Each structure stands twice: as structure tokens, then as C-alpha cells.
Amino acid sequence: MSDVTDATTAKRGPTPDDGLRIADSKDSGPVLSADGTPLKKSLRRALRMEKLRALALIAPLLIFVMISFIIPIGEMLFRSVENQIVEDTIPDAVRELRQWDRDEDELPPEAVFEAMYHDLFTASEAKKHTRLGSRLNYEESGMSSLFRQSGRALDDLGDDYLDALEEIDPDWEEGTVWYEMMSGGEGAERDTELSSRVVGQISNLEETFLPDTDAFAPSQAISELLPRTAEAYTRFAVFEALVDERDITDRDPWENVYPALIADMKSADVSGYDGPHADMLRELKSNIDDFEAPNYKAAFAAIDEDWAAHETWATIKAHSVRYTNGYFLNAIDMKRTPDGAVSQPEDRQILVKLFQRTLKMSLIITGSCILLGYPVAWILANLPTGKANLLMILVLLPFWTSLLVRTSAWKVMLQQQGVINDTLVWLGLVGDDSRLIMMNNATGTIIAMTHILLPFMILPMYSVMQTINPSYLRAAKSLGATNWTAFWRVYFPQSIPGIGAGSILVFILAIGYYITPEIVGGTDGVFISNRIAYHISSSLNWGLAAALGSILLAVVLILYWAYDRIVGIDNVKLG
Amino acid sequence: MADTDNSDAFVAFERVQKSYDGESLVVKDLNLTMPKGEFLTMLGPSGSGKTTCLMMLAGFESATHGEIKIDGVSINNIPPHKRGIGMVFQNYALFPHMTIAENLSFPLEVRKIGKSDREKKIKRALDMVEMGDFGGRRPAQLSGGQQQRVALARALVFEPELVLMDEPLGALDKQLREKMQFEITDLAHNLGITTVYVTHDQTEALTMSDRVAVFDDGRIQQIDPPDVLYESPQNSFVAQFIGENNTMQGTVKQIQGKQCLVELDNGEEIDAAPVNVNKVGERTTISIRPERVEFNKERLHADAHTLKAEVLEFIYMGDIFRTRLRVAGKEDFIIKTRNAPDQRRLKPGEQIEIGWMPEDARALDA
């Protein structure tokens, strides 16, 4: 034995003991592990593996929750501020509108109308103009029909110019001619900058990603000579080629290129141009004085007089920002106007009232659940296990029944010809002509929701009460306390964590409840969530729905925070 | 068996029975009286009915039959909070949401005692258990021993005449337990309070009590001061339950006054004192304490009977030696000898003869 011991002491390799000895001998400097690396570092390395393993265990759930819960909810909530639709649909008009000082001028400058004409034309070809109309209609009624109608009427202006152009040369109607003129023929230098800008605009409009291929790019020369025409034609060409996937070489361009051509030709000097169909341009130039420069302002006014109204343009300008507080203002019965936030008219103020009602009724429901649940939990906690389990099944029974079925059952119970009223009439407590109205109002919602949420109150209270040793009550009584004093001063304070946990649970569930108020709530028993559902599924105003949802979420978080500050979340026990 | 002298009884159980299910009795015909100021311990294995008796006295269980009296007044129908009995629970039952001072204040508040009086009494009670500085703490911030002291102070703060303790030291470690045993008895005697103490720890019962009531099977098997209980157990249960004990089965061969001769099952004969045997031929269990066995022949009577024994094991325990022997065919016979300078240390394999004074070996029921 002794030989072996000697051998190990003689061989001074790095052992954990050595590390400790080294660590002990050095008072200053970092503590080193056996192989000389700092102890902290090797501890971290040792723990990293454990952390990774733990992470790997929860990873499937984490990924599932991220994909199916957090990301969709975040995306949905993001809609409450997102407002890209205006800029995506009419990008040039929005840019031009920034120049407009609405205090100085009644109407925006002609450039705005021109940009609006081309933007709206593109949007209308893509059938996206009505979507923008609906969006703006949330803010100003009448916008939806204005946009729908204008989209149809925009062709007229171009058609008039086309007729005049054909009189000079019938080739102006030929799609092939246009394609050759705009593309500049084989080997011409291309304006790829314009092309990729247009591809970007069409991508935004279509809300998809379009590859920036060389679908079409006008020749550099024509782009410089006829900038408006080139841009209008490029929009047509890119849209038809990438979105509709058509061959554009012989397609007639959209009608908006004709007014653009006239506008360009008024100032263009075509004498030096030698691209394809230069002769047509020169011929047009010589006759250009016969054409009137397009007056977009007048054209819009002719379509609908609202286009000549200050209000219309002010609304568009006010809502052309990419991120808006408009939905949140709407959610608190205000609206974003060109002059800042103002209150909605009296008759449209319902949301704040709904929020208040939701909070008030949730509090009442929580209170009723405490009053009804406490004795039940107490009995459950004090019965022998066998009986307690039986009663617990009765408490849990509602959980195993569909929410819809339970709520419908309450409908049967509460309606005026229902079970409760029939019984009361039969007992003579209520006259047949004065049956109680217990449904389609707040009473119905409170009764049904109290019943449905009761288990969520009983379970945490029960599990807390179970942990309260009966010897506390005995001790209190042996110290001279009556049954009531013993309960109130000794038992009740110890059961408060259960009440707190149950209350948080019930209140948070109640504040977001939807099905039950929808079925038994009538009009004055509905909650804010019913309004959110309405905006999600009926009015399709998802931005407002998201804003309402965000406010609800914030209210819950604030209350949770307040509860933590006042009661302390550590005092909450769920079991 | 039970004490029936009622003249100076402060606490009295009279023919008390208790049944939980209506089929079997947990407490069977209990008769017990306690004079004022006595420290009585109820000792017994679990399920023997001792805690039930305590709970009946405290008022948390009602007697199925019989009467419980305090100071001559039947308390059967008095609710617990009016009995004025201080009680210390096994888990202390200190209210966790109150400070120590509030815990002590509780029994005074429900008795509507004025604030200044309350403070005085709380301070005195806390000082009494040397916990004067802990009034502002919560129970969870105290160690087990400190909580135990506070529980004691709370049971005493309203100056009850009777204090019940339900295995109050069960959760403490050995050293602390021994210290607290001493403190509790000291306190009880100094204050002159009557104490009923329940435990299943026989050492605790012996060291603390004026009298010990040994419970088994719902009955008091014996109630006597600790020394009598130890040295003169009345039946084999008590002998087995209190202290270490060697037993041997045999048949009574002859009885002469305070001495009898028992023939063991292997044919050997030995002396004993007849306790529960009356006639020759009766089966009996001889009970002998390990420290009363003698193997030095010179110290025995000349005519004493001896048994052959073989040393199986010698255990050195510091203050004493513990030797295991094979006697009369059984291998669990223990003798204890003091570690004195002249003490002989037996070696395993050694053949010896053992014997004892006839009055030390008690011939009990079979």
C-alpha cells in the first residue's frame, strides 16, 4: 500500500488538488482551476453544456410557441400602428403631397393631381384602389365610393388623347410601335434605375416580392426625352410582364401614357432624337399646339367634385404616414385629423364606454366568484380526501362541457319564458306579466360568466387552503378565540394568496371574454372583445381591432403590475 | 391501576370512552386524576389513544362517554376557546402572517386585555423563554428551537392554569431537545402550572415528568412516577416499552412470598419476583434490566440460581460496555456494565454464568 501512495505523491501531474493548492497559495489574481485556466472560465464552460442541454429540451415547445403564438400576435398587434397601404398604393402622390402647404393653398398643386392620376391608374389596373378607399373610409366616410368610382372613370382622359393622336398617325394605337419606341430597339442603353424603382413600387402595391429582372427597361434616351411617358409605360410594362405574365411586345399600353406623352411633348425637343419611330415623334411635335396640355385637376373634378374639395386631400395627407397613431386614437373615441387629434362626435363615442363596462363587469364577476367560491373551496379543503375528490369532480364538471353548450344552457335558464322565470311565476313570486329580464343584458353576462369562471377561482383557493394546517385554527381556539375570530384573524389572512391567484386568473380571463357576452349579453352586456371580433370579421378594420387588443393587453399588464406592487406576486399561489 | 383518589383532583377523567367510527373504541374506560401543579406525561406508541385524550381535554374532540372535569366542573360541553387551557402543538402552529409579538398578543386581544397590560405580559413571557429580542420577527425567520420557545410563551402568556403539550419537541434535534426538556420542566414547576405532556419518547417522559401514564390499546397500562415505572413495571408491555429490557419465557415452579422460581423453556431455573403470577404452573415472562445482570459470582447470594451464557459480542460505548450474550437459547440477551477501572471486559466466545437479585427480575404476565 505504502508504495502506491508514494508513487502518486512523487508524480506531480495536474490534479484538482494541485489547482486548489495553487489557488490557495495565490492570494491575489483570479482563482485558477487545475489546468491553469481561470476558475470562472472553466465553470462557465462546464455550465454551458448543461444550459445547452436544458435549452434543447425546451426548444420544441419554445419554437412552437414562437411560431404559433408570439409571432402571429406580434404581427397582429403591429397592425395597430402600421399604415403603409397609403404610401404603397399611391407612392408618387404621397411624395408630392408633402410639398403641399394646406394652410396656404386650398387645393394641392397640379403635380399632386398628376401623380395621383398615374398612381391611381396603376392601382386601379392592379385592382388595389378600392382597398385604399376602404382604409381611408375608416377616417372619412365617402372615401370608399370616391376611389371605386374614380378608378373606373380614369380611362376617359387617355381615350380622348388617343383619338386625337390617331388622327395624326394611326400607328399611335399600335402596341408594337409603342414597345419599339420605348425600348429603343436592340442594343440601346437602358434606364435600369427607373426600371428597378418601378419594380419596387409594383412590389409594394402587390404586397409580394417581385424579382428585379430585366422585364422591361426603357431606353435611356427616351427616358430623358419623355420622362413622364417612359415612367407610365414602364409601370404598364413591368406590371403586365411580372404580375400578369404577359408578352408586352405587342400589347397596347394603358391609357395614361397618352396624356403623359402630350405633357412631355409640350416641352420636349425631339429634333436630335434618332431612336425608333423618331419620325412619329417629330410629326407629333409639329402638331403639338393642336393639343391642350392635360389638366389633371379639372379631370379629377369632372370625375367627382370631392376631388376638388380641400377636405379630401387633407384627409389623404393626414393619413399618408407609414406609421400612424390613428387606430389608437380611434380606439379611445378620438380621431386623427389634419388639425391633430380630436374627439369623435358624441354619437360615435362607444369604445371608451365599452372599456369601462368591460372593466366594471369583470370586477363584479371576480367579486361574485370570490363570494361563491370561497365557501366551496373551504369545504373541499376540509373534507376527507374521498369526499373532497367527489366534490372536486362536480367543480371540474363544467370544464368538460363545451363553453358554447354551457352558455346556451344559461340561455334556456335565463330567458323570459325560461326555467327560472317559469319557476318564479309558478311559485307566485313574480307575476306572469312582469317576468324578470335576466338575459340579453349585463345581468345575463354576469350570471353566466360567474358560473363559467367559478372553477378558476375555486381551484387556486382550494390548493392554498389545503396547505393551511388545521392546527392553526385549533391553536387560535385554544388561545381563546371564538370560531369567527379564529377564522377571520388566523385562517382568512393565510388564504389570501389563493384569493389573489384566483382573482387575477378570473379577472384576466373575464376581461377578454367573448363567446358568453356575445350569446347572452345583448347590447348592454357585451365586452370590448366583442367589438374587436366585429372589427376583425365584419368591418375588416384590423388596425382598429389591433389597437383595441393592444390597449386591452396593456390594461391587463398594468393591472398585473399594480397587483404585484400592492400584494406582491410572490404571495400568489396556484398550488 | 388508575388513580382513583379524587380529593385533590384538578383534572379528572371519569370513565371516559371515545370512538370515532362507532365500531371500535380508541379510548377505553379511562380514569385519571391529576393534582394541581403536577407534570403528567402520557406516553405510548402511536395509536394508543394518548393524543385523543389530550384533544378531548382541549375540547377538539368530544368524549363518547364519561366526564372530564377541571377543578371539579365538567367541561364536556364547554367549547375549546372558553376552557382557558394553554396548548403547545407539535408543529408549534405559530401564525405565519403575524410577528412573534402579534402571536403572543393574540390570546390577550381576544380576552380584551388593554394595550399596556398586553405589552407588559408579552415582554414578560418572551423574557421568560429568553426570546425578548425577537418580538418583531416572523415565525419563518426563527429556528425550530426558537419557534418552540415562542409557542411555549404563547401558551403561557395568558396565564392558564393547565397547559397541554402535544409532542412539542418532536421536530428538534437531540441536543436541543434535551436542553428544552430541562427548560420546560423548570418553567412548569416555577410557575406552578399543571401540565399534560404527550410524547412517544420514553426518555423524555422519564426525565421530565412527576408521573407518567403509559398508554396502550386505549387504556392506561400503568401510571406512576418515573422511577417506579422503570424499576417496577406492572406488566410486560410497560417493561418492554420503558427502557431496555431482557425477557425470557418460562413456567412458575414455586412461589415463596416475594420470591419465586421459574423454570425456563430450556430447563434452566432462575429466581424472580412474582408480580403478575399467582400460582405454580403459570406461564410467565421474566423481565430483567441489562444493568442489573451480574456475572461476578462473588456478588450474588450463595444460593442464587445462575444461567449459563456465552459472550457473543462486546461493544465499547464509552461510559458503559454493552455485551450481547446467548442465554437459554436466545441470542439477544444484553448486559450493561459501567466503565470502571476494575471492570472486567468480556471477550467474545467466553463462557460465563449470570445471575441477579431476585427482586430485580420480575415475573410478569406471559
Side-chain angles (χ1 to χ4, degrees):
Chain A
M1 276 304 281
S2 64
D3 289 350
V4 179
T5 335
D6 286 345
T8 45
T9 41
K11 197 169 78 186
R12 310 273 330 174
T15 66
D17 281 358
D18 287 347
L20 288 176
R21 235 170 278 134
I22 294 163
D24 282 344
S25 62
K26 283 188 207 161
D27 285 337
S28 57
V31 183
L32 300 180
S33 66
D35 58 357
T37 51
L39 193 58
K40 274 193 177 169
K41 199 173 149 195
S42 43
L43 180 69
R44 248 201 320 274
R45 198 186 305 142
L47 290 180
R48 193 184 309 139
M49 210 53 220
E50 278 176 41
K51 277 185 194 156
L52 282 178
R53 208 175 302 147
L55 198 67
L57 278 176
I58 62 159
L61 182 63
L62 193 69
I63 293 168
F64 176 75
V65 166
M66 282 298 285
I67 292 175
S68 68
F69 194 69
I70 295 177
I71 293 175
I73 285 185
E75 211 268 327
M76 190 66 214
L77 293 182
F78 182 62
R79 284 171 190 266
S80 61
V81 291
E82 188 193 35
N83 192 39
Q84 269 116 335
I85 178 172
V86 180
E87 201 176 331
D88 285 351
T89 314
I90 47 169
D92 289 348
V94 165
R95 198 185 57 238
E96 291 296 333
L97 262 175
R98 293 204 189 106
Q99 314 296 324
W100 175 46
D101 182 353
R102 59 185 191 82
D103 294 330
E104 292 272 306
D105 304 305
E106 169 69 13
L107 283 180
E110 177 70 10
V112 172
F113 284 91
E114 186 183 356
M116 182 62 111
Y117 171 72
H118 291 293
D119 283 346
L120 212 51
F121 204 102
T122 314
S124 140
E125 288 295 329
K127 300 195 169 52
K128 302 286 185 195
H129 62 302
T130 50
R131 214 184 44 168
L132 177 63
S134 311
R135 162 69 188 97
L136 291 172
N137 204 53
Y138 301 145
E139 315 297 339
E140 185 80 42
S141 50
M143 283 294 205
S144 183
S145 60
L146 179 64
F147 273 79
R148 201 175 330 112
Q149 189 188 343
S150 307
R152 278 199 301 269
L154 282 173
D155 295 354
D156 297 351
L157 182 64
D159 284 338
D160 293 347
Y161 280 110
L162 178 60
D163 291 344
L165 283 169
E166 275 178 287
E167 280 176 27
I168 298 168
D169 187 335
D171 277 358
W172 282 116
E173 201 204 9
E174 292 298 320
T176 327
V177 171
W178 272 97
Y179 180 76
E180 285 163 8
M181 185 194 291
M182 287 296 135
S183 62
E186 290 286 318
E189 196 188 336
R190 305 281 165 157
D191 186 356
T192 49
E193 195 188 319
L194 174 64
S195 170
S196 48
R197 181 157 59 87
V198 169
V199 170
Q201 283 179 353
I202 302 287
S203 292
N204 287 342
L205 183 66
E206 286 290 320
E207 290 178 295
T208 58
F209 173 74
L210 298 174
D212 188 2
T213 58
D214 49 353
F216 176 81
S219 74
Q220 189 69 39
I222 204 82
S223 181
E224 277 163 23
L225 187 70
L226 308 168
R228 296 179 180 88
T229 320
E231 183 170 351
Y233 188 86
T234 307
R235 282 194 188 185
F236 149 77
V238 167
F239 185 86
E240 296 274 312
L242 288 183
V243 180
D244 288 350
E245 292 174 356
R246 288 191 179 114
D247 179 16
I248 49 166
T249 51
D250 61 347
R251 275 190 77 77
D252 294 349
W254 293 339
E255 286 81 353
N256 67 330
V257 297
Y258 308 125
L261 178 68
I262 302 302
D264 278 336
M265 287 305 285
K266 284 280 175 191
S267 57
D269 175 12
V270 293
S271 53
Y273 180 69
D274 59 354
H277 305 291
D279 51 328
M280 280 174 74
L281 288 174
R282 271 189 276 275
E283 192 185 354
L284 177 58
K285 179 72 186 176
S286 60
N287 290 308
I288 197 68
D289 293 337
D290 298 345
F291 291 87
E292 254 181 65
N295 184 343
Y296 297 102
K297 199 179 281 189
F300 270 101
I303 293 170
D304 195 311
E305 59 189 8
D306 277 354
W307 286 117
H310 176 82
E311 274 303 304
T312 307
W313 292 100
T315 304
I316 296 174
K317 185 177 161 81
H319 293 282
S320 63
V321 288
R322 291 186 76 79
Y323 297 99
T324 180
N325 57 5
Y327 293 120
F328 277 100
L329 289 173
N330 284 350
I332 54 169
D333 287 339
M334 295 176 80
K335 64 179 183 179
R336 182 186 168 96
T337 67
D339 306 306
V342 296
S343 288
Q344 295 269 28
E346 283 288 317
D347 59 322
R348 293 193 62 182
Q349 295 187 5
I350 52 162
L351 294 173
V352 170
K353 231 180 286 172
L354 259 181
F355 267 118
Q356 285 168 346
R357 183 201 290 164
T358 304
L359 289 178
K360 196 181 89 190
M361 283 178 52
S362 297
L363 279 178
I364 294 174
I365 289 162
T366 309
S368 332
C369 281
I370 295 175
L371 288 181
L372 293 175
Y374 197 92
V376 178
W378 189 83
I379 288 174
L380 280 175
N382 285 286
L383 276 180
T385 325
K387 282 183 188 165
N389 284 344
L390 191 72
L391 275 183
M392 188 52 104
I393 289 175
L394 294 182
V395 169
L396 291 175
L397 206 58
F399 273 140
W400 304 334
T401 320
S402 150
L403 178 62
L404 211 58
V405 171
R406 273 181 286 160
T407 310
S408 306
W410 274 111
K411 221 171 161 165
V412 175
M413 295 288 287
L414 296 175
Q415 57 188 280
Q416 279 196 283
Q417 302 300 323
V419 178
I420 293 177
N421 264 315
D422 280 352
T423 312
L424 289 177
V425 170
W426 182 73
L427 289 172
L429 295 173
V430 166
D432 201 11
D433 49 350
S434 56
R435 287 171 174 255
L436 302 177
I437 303 169
M438 293 181 292
M439 215 182 77
N440 292 332
N441 57 14
T443 318
T445 304
I446 290 172
I447 292 177
M449 280 183 64
T450 301
H451 167 250
I452 285 162
L453 294 175
L454 203 51
F456 293 100
M457 183 64 84
I458 292 177
L459 288 177
M461 287 208 277
Y462 166 63
S463 58
V464 167
M465 286 179 184
Q466 254 190 331
T467 63
I468 302 176
N469 197 317
S471 70
Y472 289 126
L473 273 183
R474 287 184 165 178
K477 284 183 205 167
S478 81
L479 292 171
T482 58
N483 285 340
W484 170 251
T485 314
F487 166 77
W488 183 246
R489 295 220 27 214
V490 174
Y491 193 86
F492 182 75
Q494 294 188 62
S495 66
I496 283 178
I499 299 178
S503 300
I504 290 189
L505 214 58
V506 168
F507 185 79
I508 290 177
L509 282 173
I511 210 174
Y513 235 61
Y514 161 65
I515 293 181
T516 307
E518 184 74 26
I519 294 178
V520 297
T523 47
D524 55 343
V526 294
F527 280 14
I528 194 71
S529 22
N530 300 89
R531 200 71 197 162
I532 296 178
Y534 164 77
H535 284 302
I536 290 277
S537 57
S538 298
S539 84
L540 300 183
N541 188 352
W542 286 17
L544 179 56
L548 290 171
S550 305
I551 292 176
L552 199 57
L553 183 63
V555 167
V556 169
L557 290 178
I558 289 170
L559 287 172
Y560 186 81
W561 173 81
Y563 184 93
D564 185 33
R565 289 298 299 270
I566 299 164
V567 182
I569 220 69
D570 298 341
N571 283 335
V572 171
K573 283 187 206 154
L574 287 171
Chain B
M1 271 190 293
D3 200 318
T4 45
D5 177 17
N6 278 3
S7 56
D8 59 346
F10 177 60
V11 177
F13 283 76
E14 289 175 6
R15 312 205 55 129
V16 172
Q17 293 183 319
K18 173 70 186 175
S19 170
Y20 285 107
D21 53 7
E23 286 170 13
S24 57
L25 286 171
V26 184
V27 175
K28 299 169 183 164
D29 194 26
L30 182 84
N31 290 287
L32 170 71
T33 57
M34 280 176 73
K36 210 163 185 149
E38 187 181 48
F39 194 116
L40 179 105
T41 298
M42 294 178 170
L43 175 69
S46 40
S48 60
K50 57 189 193 305
T51 300
T52 306
C53 282
L54 194 78
M55 288 302 159
M56 286 193 288
L57 186 53
F60 298 126
E61 299 289 354
S62 56
T64 313
H65 175 81
E67 254 185 317
I68 303 170
K69 290 179 177 173
I70 294 180
D71 228 356
V73 182
S74 168
I75 57 163
N76 282 26
N77 293 319
I78 298 178
H81 66 270
K82 288 191 179 150
R83 295 193 181 187
I85 299 174
M87 186 151 179
V88 181
F89 290 82
Q90 187 171 12
N91 60 358
Y92 319 136
L94 295 176
F95 307 138
H97 58 292
M98 298 184 189
T99 63
I100 301 309
E102 284 164 351
N103 262 287
L104 263 71
S105 176
F106 184 83
L108 305 176
E109 279 169 43
V110 299
R111 285 180 172 73
K112 307 212 166 23
I113 291 171
K115 190 159 190 267
S116 56
D117 272 1
R118 279 207 310 262
E119 276 165 9
K120 249 180 277 169
K121 281 173 193 270
I122 293 168
K123 189 178 180 325
R124 194 164 24 152
L126 282 180
D127 286 344
M128 193 167 68
V129 293
E130 295 163 22
M131 292 288 293
D133 300 334
F134 293 85
R137 302 254 191 114
R138 301 243 169 204
Q141 295 168 306
L142 301 185
S143 70
Q146 289 169 329
Q147 291 188 32
Q148 176 54 56
R149 285 159 195 261
V150 174
L152 194 61
R154 189 179 64 175
L156 298 174
V157 72
F158 59 99
E159 292 158 17
E161 292 192 313
L162 176 61
V163 174
L164 312 182
M165 302 190 192
D166 184 10
E167 305 204 21
L169 305 180
L172 302 183
D173 62 61
K174 187 166 175 288
Q175 256 177 338
L176 201 55
R177 196 155 64 217
E178 280 165 7
K179 188 162 179 282
M180 288 303 293
Q181 286 168 8
F182 172 72
E183 284 183 27
I184 288 175
T185 36
D186 222 28
L187 214 53
H189 285 136
N190 287 346
L191 298 173
I193 44 178
T194 315
T195 311
V196 180
Y197 189 100
V198 163
T199 183
H200 62 258
D201 180 335
Q202 41 134 331
T203 325
E204 212 166 280
L206 294 180
T207 51
M208 295 176 79
S209 326
D210 296 328
R211 278 196 306 165
V212 178
V214 181
F215 276 71
D216 185 47
D217 193 24
R219 286 178 204 280
I220 294 180
Q221 301 291 333
Q222 184 172 355
I223 176 163
D224 268 314
D227 54 338
V228 178
L229 205 63
Y230 186 82
E231 283 168 29
S232 316
Q234 294 293 327
N235 56 37
S236 54
F237 173 80
V238 177
Q240 283 296 334
F241 195 73
I242 307 285
E244 209 172 359
N245 208 49
N246 294 306
T247 56
M248 287 167 289
Q249 266 73 39
T251 316
V252 179
K253 209 173 176 189
Q254 63 184 66
I255 302 180
Q256 285 173 335
K258 288 190 170 185
Q259 196 171 336
C260 65
L261 188 67
V262 176
E263 184 184 347
L264 300 181
D265 292 349
N266 70 340
E268 286 185 287
E269 290 176 351
I270 194 69
D271 304 314
V275 178
N276 281 350
V277 288
N278 305 317
K279 56 181 189 289
V280 173
E282 219 174 327
R283 292 287 296 167
T284 183
T285 301
I286 297 177
S287 150
I288 174 86
R289 300 283 178 201
E291 67 273 19
R292 298 291 169 99
V293 180
E294 192 55 71
F295 59 88
N296 189 345
K297 263 194 143 180
E298 290 147 29
R299 299 214 190 135
L300 291 170
H301 285 290
D303 57 346
H305 289 85
T306 58
L307 299 173
K308 287 197 194 64
E310 182 192 350
V311 178
L312 295 175
E313 195 178 6
F314 176 83
I315 303 165
Y316 180 87
M317 294 183 73
D319 54 347
I320 57 162
F321 304 140
R322 197 179 146 89
T323 316
R324 191 159 65 83
L325 307 176
R326 180 186 291 126
V327 176
K330 292 169 80 178
E331 300 194 339
D332 57 355
F333 196 98
I334 303 291
I335 60 174
K336 284 181 190 167
T337 43
R338 220 157 53 80
N339 184 1
D342 57 342
Q343 187 62 261
R344 192 153 77 87
R345 301 185 183 188
L346 296 167
K347 289 188 180 61
E350 211 175 320
Q351 299 289 335
I352 54 170
E353 284 192 20
I354 57 168
W356 43 73
M357 303 305 243
E359 61 269 27
D360 287 338
R362 299 170 66 78
L364 305 169
D365 47 312

